[in-house]
Amino acid sequence: EQQTKWWQKAVVYQIYPRSFQDSNGDGVGDLLGIIGRLDYLQLLGITAIWLSPVYQSPNDDNGYDISDYEAIMEEFGTMEEMECLIVEADKRNIKIIMDLVVNHTSDEHKWFIEAKKGKENPYRDYYIWCDPVNGDVPNEISSTFSGSAWEFDATSGQYFLHLFSKKQPDLNWANTNVRQEIYNMMNFWLEKGVGGFRMDVIDLIGKLPDQGLTGNGPLLHQYLQEMHQATFGSHDVMTVGETWGATPEIAKQYSDPARKELSMVFQFEHIGLDQQEGKEKWDIKPLSIGALKRVLSKWQTALGNQGWNSLFWNNHDLPRIVSRWGNDQEYRVESAKMLAILLHLMKGTPYIYQGEEIGMTNCPVTSIEEIRDIESINMYQERLSKGYRKEAIIQSINAKGRDNSRTPMQWDDTECAGFTTGTPWLHVNPNYHEINVKESLADPQSIFYTYQKLIELRKEHALVIWGEYQLIEDTAEEVFAYYRELAGEKWLVVANFSETNQTFLLRDVMDKVLIHNYQTDLPDTGELGLRPYEAFAAKIK
Ligand code: TEU
Ligand code: CA
């Protein structure tokens, strides 16, 4: 068992600050609100917080459009409060992982304000400019937020590139001044004692836009090795890259320790399994459990010791998993626990997104006026203009829209779920009366205590960190079962990933059941009847 890094044992909790806890009644979450909830996070047992961006921003993309990397967004609080959060978290053995958004800035960043002044401006080449081609956009690159990725700038008669919103111009990473400015900023945060960085769409920084190439450009890994050397390489910190297109081979390039790049990446292969081939995220198809088993098992074994896995179902861009692949009606508790047990006993660093630990659900809307997310709003306009029916578009947004995961954290059953005493920036999910932290802490059978137990098991057993993974192939399609083994100790994890009764033939003899999402005894061998979403882990003889 190699020398274990702290982030190989960590469990990371993602906070979307805007929606976590408001402390001053303006309806927007803030840093003081987070500080006030650190004891809750310590009770859960997490050891790191991935903090979505808190830097100065006009909030065109809710903070992923940064106008000053070294100042705190006014609505979130002050730099002193940020430093206090780092200190208070550290007292509870919780590290703060900052969200590094350096593929692009806000168009209100001083660099872009300068760059737009003209072609001769020293900051012009901090961004990516192109002359029109045949009086039109330079090429067909499109924005993730609909439409062309090229925006015309009348002052200079050129286009600038934005892979996201028009207010998120892409930085030109080929410019050494840009890279040096980013490294200086990263060192500013490292010197404040942050525990590392989550790197937003980091696979895009090597783009070659004139060749229409966006992800995995030829200089990408050279930039990351340079960044490692210039910043976090001399600190014991964690770095996780958001790399939508990563395969295991690509993931090894990012996370093989010998390459001195990143600690790990978020891969999204499992996340794409309910998306129709060659279509957009909005065009969904039923999930194949068999495909999910194959994909997650591949990632469990393909990295070997040349990289490290991240494990997640949720984040601030994804619909809530219990609504997406569980059952958020009659089996909400059982299916949320099943999803947690199945994922958290796999190999890799697990990430819990705020509210996942209490089984928060999607929040369907009936009209676009209820939606805040720029991605959904732009898609709505685009699909309307293409003749899609409004009901169909709203249905897509209710299934996959990002606001599903951004409704305020549900703390208790008082007004606005205890999130704010003011008017929340985004509606609170009306089911907060039944689904909230207060109710979860008072119920020994709640989803919260399943997450707490899983985190304990990870802290107590090296097998969860280092145990070899082996999928059990000959099971019913809907039954996802695997072994973990280390130094002669063997665990069995079994999950009925469906709302139908299933059976599972137990070839082993169970020694001790470690966690189970139903409150009845399990036979120690032979044919098991699995109830809807039934899941357990057991040590076997
Ligand atoms: O997301 C990258 C990204 O491509 C996602 O927007 C994803 O493609 C889409 O949302 C699927 O629903 C990162 C951040 O996580 C996201 O919040 C930002 O909007 C985006 O980059 C731009 O910074
Ligand atoms: Ca506030």
Side-chain angles (χ1 to χ4, degrees), residues 217-443:
L219 296 175
L220 168 60
H221 293 283
Q222 179 182 315
Y223 294 153
L224 288 176
Q225 288 166 20
E226 182 186 65
M227 178 192 281
H228 183 112
Q229 171 68 33
T231 65
F232 53 82
S234 50
H235 298 254
D236 182 16
V237 296
M238 179 191 105
T239 50
V240 51
E242 182 200 25
T243 54
W244 274 79
T247 62
E249 283 319 301
I250 291 175
K252 283 183 202 169
Q253 290 181 4
Y254 285 105
S255 61
D256 179 351
R259 291 173 54 91
K260 296 187 183 307
E261 291 187 20
L262 305 180
S263 314
M264 68 188 94
V265 296
F266 290 132
Q267 60 83 18
F268 290 81
E269 194 175 352
H270 60 308
I271 292 298
L273 288 175
D274 62 359
Q275 180 174 329
Q276 292 172 34
E277 281 74 17
K279 294 281 195 69
E280 294 184 305
K281 66 180 241 184
W282 312 103
D283 307 307
I284 54 181
K285 68 178 183 185
L287 171 71
S288 150
I289 313 291
L292 184 68
K293 284 192 236 182
R294 276 191 301 281
V295 166
L296 289 179
S297 300
K298 175 179 75 171
W299 280 91
Q300 283 292 293
T301 52
L303 299 185
N305 58 11
Q306 285 175 282
W308 191 257
N309 261 322
S310 62
L311 304 170
F312 69 97
W313 294 125
N314 289 299
N315 65 33
H316 63 293
D317 293 331
L318 301 177
R320 289 199 173 264
I321 196 69
V322 70
S323 301
R324 182 180 190 176
W325 289 347
N327 170 311
D328 64 8
Q329 302 302 317
E330 66 268 36
Y331 294 110
R332 183 181 65 85
V333 174
E334 291 83 356
S335 65
K337 290 180 178 178
M338 177 278 290
L339 288 158
I341 291 167
L342 182 70
L343 190 73
H344 277 249
L345 293 178
M346 286 188 175
K347 187 175 182 185
T349 300
Y351 290 74
I352 301 168
Y353 178 66
Q354 68 182 45
E356 172 184 340
E357 79 278 10
I358 59 169
M360 278 176 66
T361 69
N362 280 355
C363 186
V365 299
T366 53
S367 90
I368 194 66
E369 280 64 43
E370 299 172 70
I371 294 293
R372 291 288 168 279
D373 177 22
I374 187 166
E375 180 188 54
S376 298
I377 291 168
N378 287 4
M379 176 279 279
Y380 181 84
Q381 295 306 334
E382 180 178 63
R383 290 203 166 191
L384 264 191
S385 68
K386 287 181 177 173
Y388 284 70
R389 285 184 310 103
K390 271 186 188 174
E391 297 71 26
I393 306 172
I394 292 297
Q395 197 176 2
S396 300
I397 290 172
N398 285 338
K400 298 295 289 299
R402 304 193 301 181
D403 279 353
N404 278 309
S405 59
R406 301 175 178 185
T407 61
M409 182 69 183
Q410 295 164 199
W411 295 104
D412 56 41
D413 58 359
T414 63
E415 188 71 23
C416 291
F419 164 69
T420 181
T421 56
T423 305
W425 71 277
L426 176 65
H427 48 258
V428 177
N429 192 319
N431 63 23
Y432 76 88
H433 296 282
E434 302 80 42
I435 302 172
N436 61 67
V437 164
K438 184 174 173 228
E439 173 270 339
S440 301
L441 294 179
D443 171 7

Side-chain angles (χ1 to χ4, degrees), residues 61 64 101 104 144-145 164 168 198 200-201 242 244 281 316-317 375 400 402 406:
D61 185 17
Y64 283 90
V101 185
H104 48 271
T144 301
F145 296 161
F164 294 94
Q168 292 172 290
R198 176 265 183 182
D200 191 64
V201 288
E242 182 200 25
W244 274 79
K281 66 180 241 184
H316 63 293
D317 293 331
E375 180 188 54
K400 298 295 289 299
R402 304 193 301 181
R406 301 175 178 185

